[in-house]
Coordinates of all heavy atoms in Angstrom, one line a residue:
P1 N 86.7 85.6 109.5 CA 87.2 84.4 110.2 C 86.4 83.2 110.2 O 86.9 82.1 110.3 CB 87.4 84.9 111.7 CG 87.6 86.4 111.5 CD 86.7 86.8 110.4
D2 N 85.0 83.4 110.1 CA 84.1 82.2 110.1 C 84.3 81.4 108.8 O 83.7 80.3 108.7 CB 82.7 82.7 110.2 CG 82.4 83.3 111.6 OD1 83.2 82.9 112.5 OD2 81.5 84.1 111.8
E3 N 85.0 82.0 107.8 CA 85.1 81.2 106.5 C 86.1 80.0 106.6 O 86.1 79.2 105.8 CB 85.7 82.2 105.4 CG 84.8 83.2 105.0 CD 85.4 84.1 103.8 OE1 86.3 83.6 103.2 OE2 84.9 85.2 103.6
L4 N 86.9 80.0 107.7 CA 87.8 78.9 107.9 C 87.0 77.6 108.0 O 86.0 77.5 108.7 CB 88.6 79.1 109.1 CG 89.6 80.2 109.1 CD1 90.3 80.4 110.5 CD2 90.6 80.1 108.0
D5 N 87.5 76.5 107.2 CA 86.8 75.2 107.4 C 87.4 74.5 108.5 O 88.3 74.9 109.2 CB 86.8 74.5 106.0 CG 88.3 74.2 105.6 OD1 89.1 74.1 106.5 OD2 88.5 73.9 104.4
L6 N 86.9 73.2 108.7 CA 87.4 72.5 109.9 C 88.8 72.1 109.8 O 89.5 71.9 110.8 CB 86.5 71.2 110.0 CG 85.1 71.4 110.3 CD1 84.3 70.0 110.3 CD2 84.9 72.1 111.6
A7 N 89.4 72.1 108.6 CA 90.8 71.8 108.5 C 91.7 73.0 108.6 O 92.9 72.9 108.7 CB 91.1 71.1 107.1
G8 N 91.1 74.1 108.8 CA 91.9 75.3 108.9 C 92.3 75.9 107.6 O 93.2 76.8 107.6
L9 N 91.9 75.4 106.5 CA 92.3 75.9 105.2 C 91.4 77.0 104.7 O 90.2 77.0 104.9 CB 92.3 74.7 104.2 CG 93.2 73.6 104.5 CD1 93.1 72.5 103.5 CD2 94.7 74.0 104.5
Y10 N 92.0 78.0 104.1 CA 91.2 79.1 103.6 C 90.6 78.7 102.3 O 91.1 78.0 101.4 CB 92.2 80.3 103.3 CG 92.8 80.8 104.6 CD1 94.1 80.6 104.9 CD2 92.0 81.5 105.5 CE1 94.6 81.1 106.1 CE2 92.5 82.0 106.7 CZ 93.8 81.7 107.0 OH 94.4 82.2 108.1
P11 N 89.4 79.1 102.0 CA 88.6 78.8 100.8 C 89.3 79.4 99.6 O 90.0 80.4 99.7 CB 87.2 79.3 101.1 CG 87.4 80.4 102.0 CD 88.6 80.0 102.9
S12 N 89.0 78.9 98.5 CA 89.5 79.5 97.2 C 88.7 80.8 97.0 O 87.6 81.0 97.5 CB 89.2 78.6 96.0 OG 87.8 78.3 95.9
A13 N 89.4 81.8 96.3 CA 88.9 83.1 96.2 C 87.9 83.3 95.1 O 88.1 82.8 94.0 CB 90.0 84.1 96.0
P14 N 86.7 83.9 95.4 CA 85.8 84.3 94.3 C 86.4 85.5 93.5 O 87.5 86.0 93.9 CB 84.6 84.6 95.0 CG 85.1 85.2 96.3 CD 86.3 84.4 96.7
A15 N 85.7 85.9 92.5 CA 86.1 87.1 91.8 C 86.1 88.3 92.8 O 85.2 88.4 93.6 CB 85.2 87.4 90.6
P16 N 87.1 89.2 92.7 CA 87.2 90.3 93.6 C 86.1 91.3 93.4 O 85.6 91.4 92.3 CB 88.6 90.9 93.3 CG 88.9 90.5 91.9 CD 88.3 89.1 91.7
A17 N 85.7 92.0 94.4 CA 84.6 92.9 94.3 C 85.0 94.1 93.4 O 84.2 94.7 92.7 CB 84.3 93.5 95.7
E18 N 86.3 94.5 93.5 CA 86.8 95.6 92.6 C 88.0 95.1 91.8 O 88.8 94.3 92.3 CB 87.2 96.8 93.5 CG 86.0 97.4 94.3 CD 86.5 98.6 95.1 OE1 87.6 99.1 94.9 OE2 85.7 99.0 96.0
E19 N 88.1 95.6 90.6 CA 89.2 95.3 89.8 C 90.5 95.9 90.3 O 90.6 97.1 90.5 CB 89.0 95.8 88.4 CG 90.0 95.3 87.4 CD 89.8 93.8 87.1 OE1 88.7 93.3 87.3 OE2 90.8 93.2 86.7
P20 N 91.5 95.1 90.7 CA 92.8 95.7 91.2 C 93.6 96.4 90.1 O 93.4 96.1 88.9 CB 93.5 94.5 91.8 CG 93.0 93.3 90.9 CD 91.6 93.7 90.6
P21 N 94.5 97.2 90.5 CA 95.3 97.9 89.4 C 96.1 96.8 88.7 O 96.5 95.8 89.2 CB 96.3 98.8 90.3 CG 95.6 98.9 91.6 CD 94.8 97.7 91.8
A22 N 96.4 97.1 87.4 CA 97.3 96.3 86.6 C 98.7 96.3 87.1 O 99.3 97.4 87.3 CB 97.2 96.7 85.1
V23 N 99.3 95.1 87.3 CA 100.6 95.0 87.9 C 101.5 94.0 87.1 O 101.0 93.0 86.7 CB 100.5 94.5 89.4 CG1 101.9 94.2 90.0 CG2 99.8 95.5 90.3
T24 N 102.7 94.4 86.9 CA 103.7 93.6 86.4 C 104.9 93.4 87.4 O 105.3 94.4 87.9 CB 104.3 94.1 85.0 OG1 103.2 94.3 84.1 CG2 105.3 93.2 84.4
I25 N 105.3 92.2 87.6 CA 106.4 92.0 88.5 C 107.7 92.2 87.8 O 108.1 91.5 86.8 CB 106.4 90.5 89.0 CG1 105.1 90.2 89.8 CG2 107.6 90.3 90.0 CD1 104.9 88.8 90.2
L26 N 108.5 93.2 88.2 CA 109.8 93.5 87.7 C 110.9 92.7 88.4 O 111.8 92.2 87.8 CB 110.1 95.0 87.7 CG 109.1 95.9 87.0 CD1 109.5 97.3 87.1 CD2 109.0 95.4 85.5
S27 N 110.8 92.6 89.7 CA 111.7 91.7 90.5 C 111.0 91.5 91.8 O 110.2 92.3 92.3 CB 113.0 92.4 90.7 OG 112.9 93.6 91.5
A28 N 111.3 90.3 92.4 CA 110.8 90.0 93.7 C 111.8 89.2 94.5 O 112.1 88.0 94.2 CB 109.5 89.1 93.6
A29 N 112.4 89.9 95.5 CA 113.4 89.3 96.4 C 112.8 89.3 97.8 O 111.8 89.9 98.1 CB 114.7 90.0 96.4
P30 N 113.4 88.5 98.7 CA 112.8 88.5 100.1 C 112.7 89.8 100.8 O 111.8 90.0 101.7 CB 113.7 87.5 100.8 CG 114.3 86.7 99.8 CD 114.5 87.5 98.6
D31 N 113.6 90.8 100.4 CA 113.6 92.1 101.1 C 113.2 93.2 100.2 O 113.2 94.4 100.7 CB 114.9 92.3 101.8 CG 116.1 92.3 100.8 OD1 115.8 92.0 99.6 OD2 117.2 92.6 101.2
R32 N 113.0 93.0 98.9 CA 112.7 94.1 98.0 C 111.9 93.6 96.8 O 112.2 92.6 96.2 CB 114.0 94.7 97.5 CG 113.8 95.9 96.6 CD 115.1 96.5 96.2 NE 115.0 97.4 95.0 CZ 114.7 98.7 95.1 NH1 114.4 99.2 96.3 NH2 114.6 99.5 94.1
V33 N 110.8 94.3 96.6 CA 109.9 93.9 95.5 C 109.7 95.2 94.6 O 109.4 96.2 95.1 CB 108.5 93.4 96.0 CG1 107.6 93.2 94.8 CG2 108.7 92.1 96.8
V34 N 109.9 95.0 93.3 CA 109.7 96.1 92.4 C 108.6 95.8 91.4 O 108.7 94.7 90.8 CB 111.0 96.4 91.6 CG1 110.8 97.6 90.7 CG2 112.2 96.7 92.6
L35 N 107.6 96.6 91.4 CA 106.4 96.3 90.5 C 106.2 97.5 89.6 O 106.5 98.6 89.9 CB 105.2 96.2 91.4 CG 105.3 95.1 92.5 CD1 104.0 95.2 93.4 CD2 105.4 93.7 91.9
D36 N 105.6 97.2 88.4 CA 105.1 98.2 87.5 C 103.6 98.2 87.8 O 102.9 97.3 87.5 CB 105.4 97.8 86.1 CG 104.9 98.8 85.1 OD1 103.7 99.1 85.1 OD2 105.7 99.4 84.3
V37 N 103.2 99.4 88.4 CA 101.7 99.5 88.7 C 101.1 100.5 87.8 O 101.4 101.7 87.8 CB 101.6 100.0 90.2 CG1 100.1 100.1 90.5 CG2 102.3 99.1 91.1
A38 N 100.3 100.0 86.8 CA 99.6 100.8 85.8 C 100.6 101.7 85.1 O 100.4 102.9 84.9 CB 98.5 101.7 86.5

């Protein structure tokens, strides 16, 4: 929480500590998201 600057904006992200799984977006709706995960 201390990362918030005075304007309340979140800082840009550095490289993640761990490599996330490979993901492909197959569809993304407000109530349903279908992903290809690895």
